[in-house]
Amino acid sequence: MTRRTDDRFVRHRDALKTVTDRLGGIAYGGDYNPEQWPREVWTEDARLMREAGVNLVTVGVFSWSRLEPRPGDYDFAWLDDVLDLLHAHGVAVDLATPTAAPPPWFSHAHPESLPVTRTGTRQVPGSRQVFCPSNPDYAHAADAIVRRLAQRYADHPAVVLWHVHNEWGNHNALCYCDVSAAAFRLWLRERYETLDELNTAWGTDFWSQRYGDWQEIQPPRDTPAFINPTQDLDYRRFSSDALLRRHGAESAFIREHSPRTPLTTNLMGTLEKKIDGFAFAEQCDVVSVDHYLTAADPRAHVGLALNADLARGMAAGAPWMLMEHSTSAVNWQPVNVAKRPGEMRRNSLAHIARGADAVMFFQWRQAKAGAEKWHSAMLPHNGTQSSTWREVTRLGRHLRALTDVRGSTVDADVALVFDWHAWWALELDARPSAHLRYLDLVHSWYEALWSLGHTCDIVPPGSDLSAYRAVLVPSLYLVTDDDAANLHAYARGGGHLLIGAFSGVVDVNDHVRPGPQPGALRDLLGLHVDEYLPVRATDRIALSDGSTAHTWAERLVLHDATATLRFAAGAPGGPAPGEPAVTVNRVAAGSAEYIATHPEPAVLRRTVAALCRKAGVLPTADVPVGVEAVRRRANGGSFLFLINHLDESVTVPVRGTDLVSGRSYEGKCRLGGGDVVVVREYD
Ligand code: GAL
């Protein structure tokens, strides 16, 4: 479990506490876009917000063209009125910088600020995030409006939180224009200092790519054959850093003028590959994330749990904010299925269970114009005469009953390692298999833990793992020397590791490590890989326990490790019957297990269950599969969240008081299909 004394934990916890103290409870609300509505509507909004129990709204996210209608000509009067009105109604504000949507005058005056795609198309205005992250004119204009906002609203009593930008990099992280090319070269100079270093890191003797001048270096634009993979990987790092630099610049103005009010930015967890979420979270006072379900996925609640655990991991174990989710359908999937009755409440409480102290939505009032008019909201098109509104007001009441939960931390004895750099590297061009996808691996391993009822923290590979009983590493193709050493030290210190296929293979530059594979983890795992054996998409590999695996296999040669499961019948080109598929190696007081394939869920579940048993990890509660149980703990007490994802009722053991209904459970509780209870447990 994350160390509760860790500096980052304390910083994130205390910052969010200042917000929720001012709100007097869990934050509840959403994005509010008053600029899209006439003034009469604002008064109704403020009144209805109170009725729904809303205590926080995010204002100004996309207001730049209203706040600065012409260059340098600011109009804050309407925003003053909105903030005053909200304050008068007891609704606090998370004030956003509007920099995610530069106004048309800006794009018109600075056409070179428009982003360029990999194939060289310059994108046009008419949308949002239409800017190149490295463009100096954009930086200048963004800095100016942020400085003005920070100065003007630093002491406004409604403002309890600053919201920097909106979902950094969602649409524009990778820009390939000439300005980006120049910024990339500067970034490379800082990273490598000399061209010799760069040539070595990029392996430029391959295909005659040796650089003799920094000016020769380009972004990884469209090329006839495969682009240099390290160039591609570095471009991802550079692009994430370019946005992080913007985040830092905006944050600096806010901190200068408004040092007492914490700041955040809404991150996207696994929904955003292009920015390194851990790096951004570290720069925030409060960590917040957005999460949207994939409507076509019947197991979407498992992905929700994963992202909530990742949000907590980004917050170093501290409580965090769910900054956006949806009351019902979104507008950007092929078919935007509405949430079923009760689903919104279940989703919201599932986030709280995993450490959220805020339940916020996109958005407060459903738009009537623009690209998001078919996106659900707290106050839908048909207003208060709607099932959504009834659910929204009910949720507001229930969240008030959960006030004591805020500030508590989540129990987790297991960690799951997640790393954006390993994700980027695994999915570069020209790998042994394009079907080995990072999120598939992470999701399937997480699902095993979820269905066994174990809560995990999702942490970067370099974090302090010593407090966890077991650590899962679904995929770590790229691993730095330090992170590999961290895993070794964890096992030597008595920890139990489970590591997934094709991990430990390349170094920080995406160079294959010397000696037999997997170079960084060979000794830890007590084996080497004779050959990687990717499997065709339609083929299945039989395992010795009668189950199957797919996508990937390896021919292992065991040294100190022993096999706990073997391949039974290989697919064409796959492993031979009898070769090891899952292995274990004793490491001092700990152990390191390896899964050299992509097994079906049941095998993964059995392997993870055995690991947890060995490590002494117990499920949170004795509940049937399909019922999620998560515990939050505060000084002197614990809260058990029980979420029934099944259609039928179940009986679960529990002793305590339901925070919402006040009912006491003296041993068991009958939980209706789709229902949730939050129980203050007896000692
Ligand atoms: C988010 C974004 C919001 C809104 C929402 C719709 O990614 O931050 O502004 O567009 O998606 O689901």
Side-chain angles (χ1 to χ4, degrees):
M1 169 176 330
T2 327
R3 294 188 183 283
R4 307 301 180 214
T5 48
D6 176 287
D7 287 353
R8 279 205 39 222
F9 167 84
V10 172
R11 180 157 65 83
H12 296 313
R13 179 199 61 191
D14 292 354
L16 183 49
K17 186 169 180 304
T18 65
V19 178
T20 58
D21 278 354
R22 285 178 71 179
L23 305 178
I26 287 175
Y28 186 46
D31 278 34
Y32 179 40
N33 298 302
E35 65 275 28
Q36 296 174 13
W37 299 93
R39 279 179 181 252
E40 329 58 281
V41 175
W42 301 356
T43 324
E44 186 190 51
D45 282 330
R47 180 177 60 77
L48 290 176
M49 283 175 192
R50 280 202 70 95
E51 197 176 309
V54 164
N55 55 18
L56 181 70
V57 289
T58 303
V59 178
V61 183
F62 300 112
S63 307
W64 195 345
S65 63
R66 278 283 183 188
L67 292 173
E68 192 182 359
R70 283 162 299 280
D73 183 359
Y74 297 97
D75 176 8
F76 290 114
W78 67 270
L79 186 56
D80 293 348
D81 292 347
V82 169
L83 298 197
D84 292 349
L85 177 76
L86 291 168
H87 186 58
H89 284 77
V91 178
V93 170
D94 165 35
L95 188 57
T97 65
T99 53
W105 60 254
F106 174 79
S107 309
H108 184 69
H110 302 285
E112 71 293 351
S113 72
L114 298 170
V116 171
T117 63
R118 191 171 192 144
T119 51
T121 305
R122 197 173 278 280
Q123 294 178 316
V124 295
S127 178
R128 64 177 173 187
Q129 281 184 344
V130 205
F131 66 89
C132 156
S134 302
N135 184 272
D137 296 312
Y138 168 79
H140 185 72
D143 289 352
I145 183 103
V146 171
R147 197 180 316 113
R148 293 282 174 140
L149 270 179
Q151 273 165 351
R152 188 173 188 95
Y153 297 107
D155 298 315
H156 195 288
V159 178
V160 297
L161 181 65
W162 287 98
H163 182 293
V164 178
H165 200 79
N166 188 70
E167 293 185 341
W168 286 110
N170 183 1
H171 310 287
N172 67 339
L174 298 170
C175 172
Y176 297 86
C177 73
D178 289 343
V179 172
S180 297
F184 183 40
R185 286 180 207 114
L186 281 178
W187 183 92
L188 290 169
R189 276 173 177 246
E190 271 178 36
R191 184 175 176 88
Y192 296 111
E193 292 180 3
T194 66
L195 274 178
D196 276 351
E197 283 293 317
L198 177 133
N199 279 313
T200 306
W202 285 18
T204 53
D205 282 316
F206 178 79
W207 281 353
S208 180
Q209 293 168 22
R210 209 169 168 81
Y211 291 101
D213 189 317
W214 292 96
Q215 289 308 314
E216 295 161 5
I217 301 171
Q218 298 291 328
R221 293 170 171 147
D222 215 12
T223 47
F226 293 124
I227 195 78
N228 180 316
T230 316
Q231 179 181 0
D232 209 356
L233 179 61
D234 270 352
Y235 207 67
R236 288 197 167 268
R237 292 177 172 137
F238 152 75
S239 300
S240 180
D241 281 359
L243 290 167
L244 188 58
R245 188 181 293 225
R246 287 303 318 142
H247 178 81
E250 291 198 19
S251 303
F253 291 119
I254 293 171
R255 290 194 168 118
E256 180 187 339
H257 295 289
S258 184
R260 281 179 303 280
T261 305
L263 66 80
T264 189
T265 187
N266 48 339
L267 298 167
M268 297 177 72
T270 66
L271 307 190
E272 182 50 88
K273 176 179 174 183
K274 298 180 296 295
I275 64 162
D276 176 351
F278 287 122
F280 278 75
E282 209 172 322
Q283 306 280 316
C284 292
D285 302 322
V286 170
V287 171
S288 64
V289 298
D290 300 344
H291 186 262
Y292 290 95
L293 300 180
T294 304
D297 177 5
R299 309 281 298 153
H301 52 276
V302 181
L304 180 159
L306 188 162
N307 272 282
D309 286 342
L310 176 58
R312 194 177 66 256
M314 292 196 281
W320 51 278
M321 293 181 74
L322 175 65
M323 190 57 92
E324 288 179 22
H325 68 153
S326 66
T327 54
S328 189
V330 298
N331 65 315
W332 42 265
Q333 294 177 12
V335 177
N336 295 298
V337 179
K339 289 193 180 176
R340 288 164 293 154
E343 191 175 357
M344 175 194 82
R345 175 173 180 270
R346 206 158 53 245
N347 295 160
S348 299
L349 295 181
H351 284 289
I352 302 245
R354 293 178 187 273
D357 274 2
V359 171
M360 309 281 288
F361 292 94
F362 178 84
Q363 61 177 329
W364 161 252
R365 184 184 278 272
Q366 188 169 20
K368 64 177 187 188
E372 293 184 326
K373 57 184 172 298
W374 293 114
H375 193 293
S376 60
M378 299 177 86
L379 184 61
H381 289 147
N382 49 352
T384 54
Q385 301 306 312
S386 59
S387 48
T388 297
W389 179 254
R390 282 189 290 279
E391 289 209 31
V392 162
T393 49
R394 176 167 174 252
L395 180 60
R397 283 195 303 280
H398 289 185
L399 291 181
R400 269 199 299 283
L402 302 189
T403 296
D404 289 354
V405 170
R406 98 193 141 99
S408 57
T409 52
V410 175
D411 267 5
D413 287 335
V414 183
L416 184 142
V417 167
F418 189 90
D419 185 33
W420 267 270
H421 297 250
W423 182 1
W424 296 336
L426 182 72
E427 296 181 0
L428 293 168
D429 289 341
R431 304 286 127 188
S433 171
H435 298 298
L436 203 61
R437 308 290 299 178
Y438 188 75
L439 286 188
D440 290 350
L441 294 159
V442 169
H443 273 274
S444 57
W445 284 48
Y446 182 86
E447 173 124 21
L449 276 172
W450 188 93
S451 54
L452 291 164
H454 298 302
T455 309
C456 67
D457 287 344
I458 301 189
V459 299
S463 51
D464 179 356
L465 301 171
S466 57
Y468 296 105
R469 289 173 181 271
V471 173
L472 273 61
V473 186
S475 178
L476 204 58
Y477 164 70
L478 178 151
V479 63
T480 64
D481 296 349
D482 286 351
D483 292 350
N486 193 40
L487 296 178
H488 278 260
Y490 170 69
R492 269 200 310 276
H496 297 286
L497 274 170
L498 180 63
I499 297 179
F502 204 40
S503 293
V505 180
V506 296
D507 66 11
V508 68
N509 294 323
D510 190 40
H511 291 202
V512 174
R513 287 176 177 277
Q517 289 300 328
L521 304 175
R522 197 171 54 221
D523 296 342
L524 175 65
L525 298 172
L527 52 77
H528 79 259
V529 177
D530 179 54
E531 190 157 16
Y532 291 118
L533 306 169
V535 174
R536 289 176 191 82
T538 48
D539 286 342
R540 289 289 171 273
I541 321 162
L543 297 171
S544 55
D545 64 354
S547 63
T548 60
H550 57 95
T551 308
W552 187 264
E554 300 177 6
R555 179 170 305 119
L556 301 182
V557 177
L558 306 192
H559 305 171
D560 301 326
T562 51
T564 54
L565 189 64
R566 293 176 182 275
F567 293 110
E579 287 182 351
V582 180
T583 64
V584 59
N585 189 34
R586 285 186 66 90
V587 185
S591 64
E593 300 187 28
Y594 187 57
I595 306 188
T597 185
H598 203 334
E600 68 179 54
V603 182
L604 212 41
R605 206 158 44 235
R606 280 200 293 278
T607 311
V608 172
L611 177 87
C612 289
R613 263 197 312 278
K614 172 170 74 176
V617 180
L618 298 172
T620 306
D622 181 16
V623 293
V625 176
V627 176
E628 191 174 342
V630 188
R631 184 171 282 111
R632 288 184 68 163
R633 229 178 254 287
N635 301 334
S638 61
F639 305 98
L640 181 64
F641 286 70
L642 295 166
I643 307 165
N644 186 0
H645 296 283
L646 307 170
D647 290 332
E648 64 275 7
S649 325
V650 291
T651 301
V652 288
V654 62
R655 293 185 64 256
T657 311
D658 182 337
L659 287 183
V660 173
S661 68
R663 197 174 311 144
S664 294
Y665 301 114
E666 302 298 334
K668 56 184 186 209
C669 143
R670 184 130 192 94
L671 193 57
D675 211 351
V676 186
V677 288
V678 185
V679 176
R680 188 197 297 274
E681 295 179 291
Y682 300 148
D683 292 339

